[in-house]
Amino acid sequence: MGEPAEWTGRDGRTVEVDYPSPARTVVLTVTVDGLSAITVRAGGADGTELYRGKGAWSVLVPPARQEELRRITVHGVHRWQLRLHDPAEVGSVGSVTGDGPRVLVHPGGTAVVDVTHYSSAEDIQLFRLVRHTAAGGREVLATGERFGRLYRSNDWTLLLEGPQVLVVEQGESWSLTGRPADLPPSTETVRYGIGDRREVFEWPDGTRPALLEVGTAEEPEWGSVRLELTDHGGRGLDHGYVYVSTRDGVQRLLLQTEPARRALGPLRVDVSGARGSWRLELLPIEEARELADRADGVGNDVLAYTGPPAVLRVWTLAERSLYVTIESGGRRIRASRSRPGEWCGAVPIGGPAGPHGPAPIGVDGSGRWRLEVVPLAVVPAFARKLTGLGCEVVRWTGAPGRLTVATGRRNRGGVTATVLDERLKPLGSTGARPGLFRSLGGEPVALRPGDLVAVSCDFGEASWRLTVR
């Protein structure tokens, strides 16, 4: 750079940085030996905290920020190094390997970059790749950490668009390999990408649920892509995240949240673990698949049922271990099965429509499944005690009485029994917690001849007993 560009400091010492003249944008890095927890401050030992975390740290410093970042202090390590790098003199993202920190520049255009970090260390080993923007932003693109005497290779695939500065802040043995990207142009509701990336969508008008359609490139071996769904405040939607198999074809996810959270700002979708290309499309709830008598599917889907009150039964068709969660109108089935053709449970559907129409049916699964609509007239009946497993809907045909529910002591969660009329309107409920078929929670609820009883379980395979006195 032509000027002093490297300084050494000790714990708590302040370094005065001599920025180049004439002023130009540079990259400032703080590196340490090993993997220590450090705190970086600007303006002296009691100045503004810039970073608190493990290992090294870096920042892009345009001329406007150089006075602010002239005095740098690092706490937490005996010895540390501070360096300035001129982006015009550092390497380009292409095919590059290295050990330890490195500053790289992507000159522009769109490219796919495959990142590999190979660790053979016998202790903790951290890898961290960050991207700096001209506006002062800092985004961690890839990070990996290992414990113990393990040889491990971590892989990431990233999509780079436009000029940007990348910094490998720490890493034992790494490589970055760039290749051309061939993707269709994205739109307001359709996004195309490769590898890990965050996409931001505006919520559809109003407060109605929406669909997120996900398409992924099939991989030679079984793989999955992780989608983290959050509101603008960072709070997760429903489960917060979902895994989409690259072998299951196009998948659909149900997006719904209360108006207050929509008002916070856009929907954020973080894609991670993708080794190939993907497509995200935001669709109105009217695009949900219609459910009439029966529907088969795989993985994740959203269906719409507009018929009369009925019972929805769920079956597995997968040849391998399956988990499946069915949710509609606040009612849920959670089940895991290891053999095809197994019964997963039943829930009532088609009750009184909400303010936004009939409740959609969201399916979150890891294999093939079947949904079957059963009329209320053929719901199983009982007139004495009844024992069962998992979610179920039954009809009471005995004399008027009071219903209690008990659950086995080895169950993972509680069981709730809700009494419903023919329109599926709740009339009362009672519950129980695990405890050798003893009712430990909830008062008995009135039960009339012909009433329906919907049994729901916190976890899929809970055992239960219904008793009417």
Side-chain angles (χ1 to χ4, degrees), residues 20 29 68 81 106 120-121 161 187-188 235 251 287 303 306 342 344 350 385 415:
T29 63
E68 172 195 349
Q81 298 80 38
H106 176 55
S120 60
E161 297 176 290
T187 67
E188 183 178 351
R235 293 175 56 194
Q251 306 279 279
E287 296 291 328
L303 299 97
T306 57
E342 284 195 88
C344 294
K385 294 181 180 180
V415 173

Side-chain angles (χ1 to χ4, degrees), residues 208-256:
R208 305 188 65 200
L211 308 179
L212 182 66
E213 187 171 274
V214 184
T216 58
E218 184 173 333
E219 299 179 7
E221 298 180 0
W222 183 87
S224 64
V225 177
R226 186 179 189 269
L227 300 178
E228 185 174 1
L229 309 172
T230 59
D231 61 22
H232 188 64
R235 293 175 56 194
L237 305 181
D238 294 330
H239 305 294
Y241 64 89
V242 64
Y243 286 91
V244 173
S245 170
T246 58
R247 292 293 185 90
D248 289 346
V250 175
Q251 306 279 279
R252 286 184 168 184
L253 311 178
L254 179 61
L255 304 178
Q256 54 185 351

Side-chain angles (χ1 to χ4, degrees), residues 150-199:
L150 295 175
Y151 293 81
R152 171 73 180 263
S153 179
N154 293 313
D155 302 303
W156 301 267
T157 299
L158 310 172
L159 183 66
L160 303 181
E161 297 176 290
Q164 38 197 290
V165 177
L166 306 181
V167 181
V168 178
E169 291 184 341
Q170 190 145 357
E172 178 189 358
S173 179
W174 52 264
S175 68
L176 276 72
T177 305
R179 50 191 169 93
D182 183 17
L183 293 173
S186 294
T187 67
E188 183 178 351
T189 58
V190 182
R191 309 293 168 80
Y192 297 92
I194 298 177
D196 297 357
R197 188 176 176 87
R198 168 175 287 180
E199 294 290 350

Side-chain angles (χ1 to χ4, degrees), residues 378-395:
V378 297
V379 166
F382 77 110
R384 301 181 63 187
K385 294 181 180 180
L386 180 68
T387 59
L389 189 69
C391 298
E392 180 61 284
V393 180
V394 293
R395 185 186 298 277

Side-chain angles (χ1 to χ4, degrees), residues 419-457:
V419 178
L420 308 168
D421 64 15
E422 289 292 324
R423 297 182 63 252
L424 303 185
K425 178 183 177 181
L427 303 176
S429 63
T430 184
R433 300 187 301 274
L436 192 59
F437 285 112
R438 290 178 296 171
S439 180
L440 301 178
E443 296 297 324
V445 61
L447 188 63
R448 304 168 305 182
D451 282 344
L452 300 167
V453 179
V455 181
S456 61
C457 308

Side-chain angles (χ1 to χ4, degrees), residues 210-385:
L211 308 179
L212 182 66
E213 187 171 274
V214 184
T216 58
E218 184 173 333
E219 299 179 7
E221 298 180 0
W222 183 87
S224 64
V225 177
R226 186 179 189 269
L227 300 178
E228 185 174 1
L229 309 172
T230 59
D231 61 22
H232 188 64
R235 293 175 56 194
L237 305 181
D238 294 330
H239 305 294
Y241 64 89
V242 64
Y243 286 91
V244 173
S245 170
T246 58
R247 292 293 185 90
D248 289 346
V250 175
Q251 306 279 279
R252 286 184 168 184
L253 311 178
L254 179 61
L255 304 178
Q256 54 185 351
T257 188
E258 57 270 20
R261 294 179 65 183
R262 287 176 177 247
L264 294 175
L267 161 73
R268 301 191 303 199
V269 183
D270 288 288
V271 182
S272 59
R275 300 297 295 161
S277 61
W278 44 261
R279 176 183 63 86
L280 305 178
E281 182 173 2
L282 196 63
L283 297 170
I285 194 62
E286 288 79 10
E287 296 291 328
R289 180 155 64 114
E290 187 70 26
L291 173 62
D293 299 326
R294 193 180 78 178
D296 291 357
V298 60
N300 302 270
D301 203 351
V302 181
L303 299 97
Y305 175 73
T306 57
V311 171
L312 181 69
R313 291 177 174 173
V314 184
W315 307 83
T316 72
L317 302 177
E319 296 179 357
R320 55 182 173 83
S321 179
L322 166 83
Y323 75 83
V324 63
T325 299
I326 308 293
E327 187 166 7
S328 179
R331 302 181 177 106
R332 175 177 295 181
I333 294 176
R334 292 177 178 172
S336 59
R337 294 290 186 268
S338 58
R339 295 186 300 273
E342 284 195 88
W343 162 262
C344 294
V347 290
I349 58 170
H356 309 301
I361 301 168
V363 185
D364 175 8
S366 64
R368 296 174 57 233
W369 41 261
R370 172 172 293 164
L371 306 183
E372 182 183 11
V373 178
V374 178
L376 296 182
V378 297
V379 166
F382 77 110
R384 301 181 63 187
K385 294 181 180 180

Side-chain angles (χ1 to χ4, degrees), residues 397-408:
T397 58
R402 297 182 66 79
L403 172 72
T404 59
V405 61
T407 182

